[in-house]
Amino acid sequence: MYPKQEVVAMLLAGGQGSRLGVLTQKLAKPAVPYGGKYRIIDFPLSNCVNSGIEAVGVLTQYQPLVLNEYIGSGQPWDLDSMNSGVRVLSPYQQVKGADWYSGTANAIYQNITYIDRYSPDYVVILSGDHIYKMDYSKMIAAHKENKADCTIAVIDVPLAEASRFGIMNTNPDGSIYEFEEKPAKPKSTNASMGIYVFSWDKLRKYLIEDEETEGSSHDFGKDVLPKMLADGQRMFAYQFQGYWKDVGTIDSLWESNMDLLDPNVPLDLTDESWKIYSKNPVVPPQYIAEGAEVQNSLIADGCSISGAVDFSVLFSNVVVKPGAVVQDSIIMPGSVIEEGAVVQYAIVSENTIIGKNAVIGARPETIVDKDQWGIAVIGDNLKIGAGAKIAPKAMISKDVEGVEE
Amino acid sequence: MRGNNIMGIIFANLHEDLISELTDVRITGAVPFGGKYRMIDFPLSNMVNSGINKVGVLTKSNYQSIMDHVGTGKAWDLSRKQGGLFILPPFTNTNEYSNRLTTLNSIMPFLKHSTEEYVVITDCDTVCNIDFQDVCSKHLENNADITVVYKRDQIPEKLHDPTVFSFDAKGQVIDVAINSDITGSCSFYMNIMFIKRELLIELVNKCISKNTLNFKRDIIQGEYKNLSIYGYEFNGFSPILTSMSDYFQANMALMKADVRADLFKSARPIYTKVRDDMPTKYGLGSKVTNSLIANGCTIEGEVENCVLFKGVHIGKNTKVSNCVIMQDTVIGADSSLSYVIVDKDVKVKDERTLMGFSSYPVYISKGSVV
């Protein structure tokens, strides 16, 4: 018998994140490194713990090794309690056969047993591809106050961008009367954040119904939520204010990292009252050598910097050799920037070596045709040879030979 | 494969008097070092990296800081069902812990109930990365009863009871001089001993029964003629903290690449208690050179030849040079600090100037407001 948990969180972490290209070739999107020491999943997991949620199911499917290993016992997030904590829930074989998770709703449906063990009143559905700090307990309180069956977190987005999101049109009391998925002419600017609170008995019933519905894609946004609305269930929007960013594309991942360097962006990771927890590598402090120039940057322990670093985010154990320049870039753990190499507007994945005098990416002002410009991305465990040139917007997944000088 | 036939004993509080400023509020083992460590991290990590998974930590008194730091031993992988970390404060009165021998006598049940064949005994006043497996191999090769770890160097001026060894060609101890007037480079004891557990019990019992209670004089000096005691030379980076000046120099030595390579080996890392700090923020106009900096700092000013611990804040237009600044200390704007050791949680307000000298760094105590 498991002690009752008022709230169980379910984190959808099975997505491939194909728009991140080489960065998600070997790992699931929630495991992508962020902010000099974190992985994306640290944000929803830390939000859960800080909101007092003790039971978290993480649904994995695509390339789960790195993610499983990272979550481990859940100890870094204090989610290794005796009867609750974090559980990794992968697709499994049953008597009637084996199924992959065929949609977001189906993934939860296949884990009804896990949720039922805790007899929760509410279930929070989260995704693993956003950077934000949010107190879910306030959203749950609003859900209770509204006597809602489903509450959807929304954020105000600029009207010009609203057509990229799922838009919730609400009555003055906050109740939702209409969903519009990526509307050409949005009626409002309340974009869904992909965070839902459900009363468990209601959701349970709808998941079972949905599973039996012919032709359903078993997706929350496409099937379950529209069905609940059509049935006249009490559905409310919950307005979130604060920093929230989807990091599902190379550009948005880069921008969100750069946001950490901007004192005017409301994302403070030093806040003691809402810590973002992560697994900490065992490495010595960072060393900044004589002759190094470091400004406007975020640098993690284990780094050794002898070159110039400006407007960049460096993860643990990165080495920047003398004469190397790193600007407006993200360098993931263990990568080495050799002497004289210049890395600009780039993301370099883990354990890659950028050879001497290689040039990666370029500043936008140096490119005439703006369509040719973008963030250059170098995959993990690669060697970029000495003197090689990698164009802006390139996506490199193989070693690149050096150039004779 | 984990685990071997060796257990560890760490004296966490000896030599406190030598760095009394730093040990006013803590014991030797809890003295912060090198940006993110406490002194006990070195012996604990060395033991764990050598496959030892049972460690007893002896603390005479004031053990709050050390217990807070090591907790269950999780950070060193010592939170285990078999073996793990044992904190061994005195049972009734602290007199039992008045010296090494009586302390060992008072943990006799712990020693007797253990099943490991060998014991490594060490203090917390030396910063080093040593492989006890290698000490063990040499011990077995020599068929020794006791192996003492020594270094060849000038004896630090204030070292307690410096113990100097002479060896024969095979490395066996043939003479032991304690507190002699030897000058220049010599082979002196690092207070690290490798010994069979049962022999240790026997020797401690013998000394207690004869009331000869000096570990070095009555065990090492008293027995080297009866037992085969061998030396193991350690020649890696290994400063012993016998004064505030030593402490300062040892921190500054970390700016040397070869020292860092020797102390922070990736295959034998130094573990410490985790604090979830974000990476360090280098602000616009910050200037940092030749410094060792831990996560969680915010640097807006100038930093030169410094060790900054976790969560230190350096204000705008402030210059700190040749300083050791411990965790969560905040240095305001327009200030200047040179040759200063600043303890934890200190607030140095705007427009302050503090200056020491390389051989005599100024010390600012924990929690002060300047």
Side-chain angles (χ1 to χ4, degrees):
Chain A
M1 199 39 205
Y2 285 81
K4 178 185 167 70
Q5 294 285 347
E6 191 194 7
V7 180
V8 170
M10 297 296 273
L11 210 165
L12 298 160
Q16 178 183 353
S18 53
R19 289 173 300 165
L20 288 175
V22 291
L23 298 181
T24 50
Q25 220 163 44
K26 295 169 200 158
L27 43 81
K29 181 156 70 166
V32 167
Y34 171 83
K37 69 174 283 196
Y38 308 96
R39 292 186 190 265
I40 297 169
I41 198 170
D42 289 332
F43 287 79
L45 282 181
S46 300
N47 286 339
C48 281
V49 175
N50 291 332
S51 305
I53 298 173
E54 290 177 276
V56 184
V58 177
L59 300 133
T60 61
Q61 180 153 287
Y62 171 80
Q63 287 284 19
L65 176 65
V66 175
L67 191 59
N68 283 353
E69 193 177 48
Y70 186 68
I71 293 170
S73 68
Q75 192 265 339
W77 305 270
D78 252 353
L79 284 170
D80 58 340
S81 322
M82 261 204 257
N83 295 315
S84 54
V86 63
R87 295 286 177 273
V88 174
L89 305 168
S90 53
Y92 55 93
Q93 240 176 4
Q94 306 170 53
V95 177
K96 61 179 166 66
D99 269 327
W100 292 102
Y101 294 149
S102 56
T104 50
N106 174 261
I108 306 296
Y109 169 82
Q110 290 202 40
N111 289 289
I112 285 179
T113 325
Y114 166 75
I115 300 173
D116 274 347
R117 296 200 300 186
Y118 296 110
S119 325
D121 300 325
Y122 309 101
V123 168
V124 185
I125 309 289
L126 304 167
S127 64
D129 39 15
H130 298 110
I131 300 297
Y132 65 112
K133 300 202 297 186
M134 179 176 178
D135 188 345
Y136 304 135
S137 68
K138 287 187 183 154
M139 182 173 170
I140 294 160
H143 179 87
K144 285 185 206 170
E145 202 174 304
N146 290 328
K147 297 194 168 53
D149 299 307
C150 169
T151 301
I152 299 172
V154 295
I155 189 163
D156 199 29
V157 293
L159 190 61
E161 288 176 31
S163 54
R164 286 174 30 216
F165 293 92
I167 297 296
M168 307 284 131
N169 296 321
T170 55
N171 299 311
D173 67 346
S175 60
I176 298 168
Y177 67 86
E178 189 188 22
F179 303 139
E180 287 180 298
E181 189 61 24
K182 297 183 180 152
K185 281 186 187 154
K187 291 191 195 109
S188 79
T189 53
N190 283 335
S192 167
M193 297 164 66
I195 300 166
Y196 315 122
V197 173
F198 289 99
S199 298
W200 175 231
D201 51 353
K202 275 280 156 61
L203 177 63
R204 199 176 187 285
K205 181 172 134 308
Y206 273 92
L207 286 176
I208 294 168
E209 272 181 30
D210 176 70
E211 198 56 27
E212 288 160 356
T213 307
E214 288 280 319
S216 169
S217 57
H218 309 307
D219 185 88
F220 276 104
K222 292 193 192 101
D223 308 292
V224 176
L225 296 176
K227 181 75 171 50
M228 283 180 85
L229 190 67
D231 288 357
Q233 300 293 350
R234 290 179 66 79
M235 305 184 77
F236 283 77
Y238 172 80
Q239 199 80 41
F240 172 75
Q241 264 146 6
Y243 184 90
W244 177 82
K245 195 153 208 155
D246 181 293
V247 285
T249 65
I250 293 294
D251 286 352
S252 63
L253 178 67
W254 180 85
E255 272 168 31
S256 185
N257 274 279
M258 293 303 139
D259 282 344
L260 290 171
L261 306 176
D262 184 346
N264 301 319
V265 168
L267 177 65
D268 178 14
L269 303 185
T270 60
D271 181 5
E272 285 289 318
S273 67
W274 203 270
K275 270 200 169 182
I276 302 302
Y277 300 96
S278 66
K279 200 163 155 179
N280 289 270
V282 181
V283 290
Q286 52 205 282
Y287 175 69
I288 312 295
E290 212 166 328
E293 288 173 48
V294 181
Q295 283 203 24
N296 303 307
S297 292
L298 212 51
I299 297 183
D301 277 356
C303 285
S304 179
I305 313 297
S306 310
V309 179
D310 199 5
F311 282 107
S312 293
V313 175
L314 271 53
F315 286 72
S316 62
N317 291 336
V318 166
V319 178
V320 179
K321 298 256 177 93
V325 175
V326 177
Q327 289 174 333
D328 303 278
S329 294
I330 301 162
I331 316 289
M332 292 184 184
S335 284
V336 178
I337 316 298
E338 299 279 7
E339 283 92 346
V342 177
V343 179
Q344 292 173 320
Y345 289 88
I347 298 176
V348 177
S349 192
E350 302 173 48
N351 301 315
T352 280
I353 297 169
I354 307 296
K356 280 183 190 173
N357 303 320
V359 177
I360 314 292
R363 306 196 68 84
E365 56 267 27
T366 63
I367 306 290
V368 184
D369 182 358
K370 293 295 175 226
D371 288 342
Q372 298 296 306
W373 185 83
I375 303 297
V377 184
I378 316 288
D380 60 306
N381 294 288
L382 299 182
K383 279 196 179 69
I384 305 299
K389 273 200 166 54
I390 306 294
K393 218 175 176 176
M395 177 85 69
I396 307 295
S397 57
K398 284 187 191 133
D399 288 353
V400 174
E401 298 242 343
V403 176
E404 297 282 328
E405 288 181 38
Chain B
M1 283 278 290
R2 208 199 144 73
N4 53 20
N5 221 351
I6 310 171
M7 61 185 281
I9 299 275
I10 298 175
F11 285 92
N13 64 291
L14 293 177
H15 323 297
E16 294 173 328
D17 52 314
L18 296 173
I19 39 173
S20 55
E21 290 94 331
L22 293 169
T23 53
D24 189 29
V25 287
R26 49 175 86 90
I27 62 174
T28 310
V31 167
F33 183 84
K36 64 190 291 192
Y37 305 100
R38 302 283 186 139
M39 288 303 291
I40 198 168
D41 292 338
F42 297 96
L44 273 180
S45 303
N46 288 336
M47 286 177 177
V48 170
N49 289 333
S50 305
I52 296 173
N53 58 13
K54 180 176 187 177
V55 181
V57 175
L58 297 165
T59 55
K60 183 181 171 188
S61 52
N62 302 331
Y63 32 84
Q64 263 184 25
S65 56
I66 204 91
M67 291 189 63
D68 175 48
H69 181 66
V70 297
T72 60
K74 175 83 192 163
W76 298 265
D77 220 357
L78 283 172
S79 172
R80 319 200 65 83
K81 283 191 177 176
Q82 295 191 348
L85 183 75
F86 294 81
I87 296 190
L88 304 165
F91 189 65
T92 47
N93 64 53
T94 52
N95 290 340
E96 291 171 357
Y97 276 43
S98 57
N99 75 27
R100 241 179 250 274
L101 250 169
T102 52
T103 308
L104 287 170
N105 186 50
S106 67
I107 59 154
M108 208 39 101
F110 175 70
L111 289 172
K112 283 185 173 160
H113 289 148
S114 295
T115 53
E116 288 77 8
E117 198 173 351
Y118 301 100
V119 186
V120 174
I121 305 174
T122 170
D123 295 349
C124 280
D125 62 340
T126 305
V127 178
C128 68
N129 191 328
I130 180 172
D131 183 0
F132 294 125
Q133 279 292 0
D134 193 47
V135 180
C136 177
S137 317
K138 295 280 157 43
H139 181 87
L140 298 177
E141 228 169 80
N142 292 329
N143 202 13
D145 293 314
I146 297 175
T147 297
V148 286
V149 179
Y150 68 92
K151 63 190 270 186
R152 278 200 69 81
D153 201 352
Q154 206 133 354
I155 298 175
E157 198 185 326
K158 291 180 181 154
L159 187 68
H160 283 308
D161 296 335
T163 305
V164 176
F165 303 115
S166 305
F167 305 102
D168 67 7
K170 289 183 301 177
Q172 186 168 349
V173 174
I174 50 166
D175 194 23
V176 180
I178 297 176
N179 271 328
S180 68
D181 48 10
I182 296 170
T183 53
S185 188
C186 60
S187 304
F188 68 94
Y189 184 41
M190 287 174 69
N191 290 327
I192 299 172
M193 175 183 275
F194 193 89
I195 184 171
K196 250 198 178 122
R197 184 177 54 87
E198 282 175 356
L199 178 61
L200 177 68
I201 292 170
E202 187 192 315
L203 291 173
V204 170
N205 282 340
K206 188 171 152 190
C207 288
I208 294 292
S209 68
K210 291 204 279 182
N211 201 27
T212 51
L213 301 178
N214 189 308
F215 189 84
K216 286 175 182 168
R217 288 192 188 277
D218 301 319
I219 290 189
I220 301 175
Q221 203 172 34
E223 298 290 344
Y224 79 89
K225 284 176 181 155
N226 312 325
L227 300 168
S228 64
I229 301 184
Y230 278 79
Y232 176 94
E233 185 180 353
F234 181 73
N235 48 25
F237 176 71
S238 52
I240 305 174
L241 309 184
T242 62
S243 67
M244 287 301 276
S245 166
D246 283 355
Y247 176 81
F248 182 73
Q249 298 303 341
N251 273 288
M252 289 299 145
L254 299 175
M255 308 307 167
K256 292 180 193 138
D258 56 333
V259 167
R260 287 198 307 280
D262 186 82
L263 190 60
F264 304 124
K265 298 178 172 80
S266 60
R268 306 174 43 79
I270 307 298
Y271 302 91
T272 189
K273 182 182 170 184
V274 166
R275 220 177 75 156
D276 287 80
D277 291 279
M278 74 178 293
T280 283
K281 258 184 167 166
Y282 295 81
L284 189 70
S286 72
K287 191 162 184 262
V288 181
T289 174
N290 194 39
S291 294
L292 193 71
I293 297 172
N295 270 353
C297 293
T298 306
I299 300 170
E300 296 176 286
E302 205 174 322
V303 179
E304 186 184 8
N305 309 332
C306 289
V307 175
L308 304 189
F309 283 69
K310 293 176 264 194
V312 167
H313 190 128
I314 305 291
K316 278 205 165 72
N317 295 321
T318 284
K319 181 170 181 178
V320 290
S321 60
N322 302 293
C323 292
V324 176
I325 302 178
M326 296 185 206
Q327 74 188 56
D328 297 326
T329 280
V330 177
I331 315 278
D334 304 306
S335 292
S336 168
L337 277 75
S338 170
Y339 293 103
V340 186
I341 298 174
V342 190
D343 210 311
K344 281 175 69 174
D345 299 318
V346 170
K347 282 197 172 41
V348 176
K349 296 192 170 168
D350 296 354
E351 297 172 33
R352 296 290 186 271
T353 303
L354 295 167
M355 294 252 271
F357 192 72
S358 62
S359 58
Y360 196 89
V362 174
Y363 171 73
I364 311 290
S365 61
K366 183 175 170 181
S368 324
V369 177
V370 180

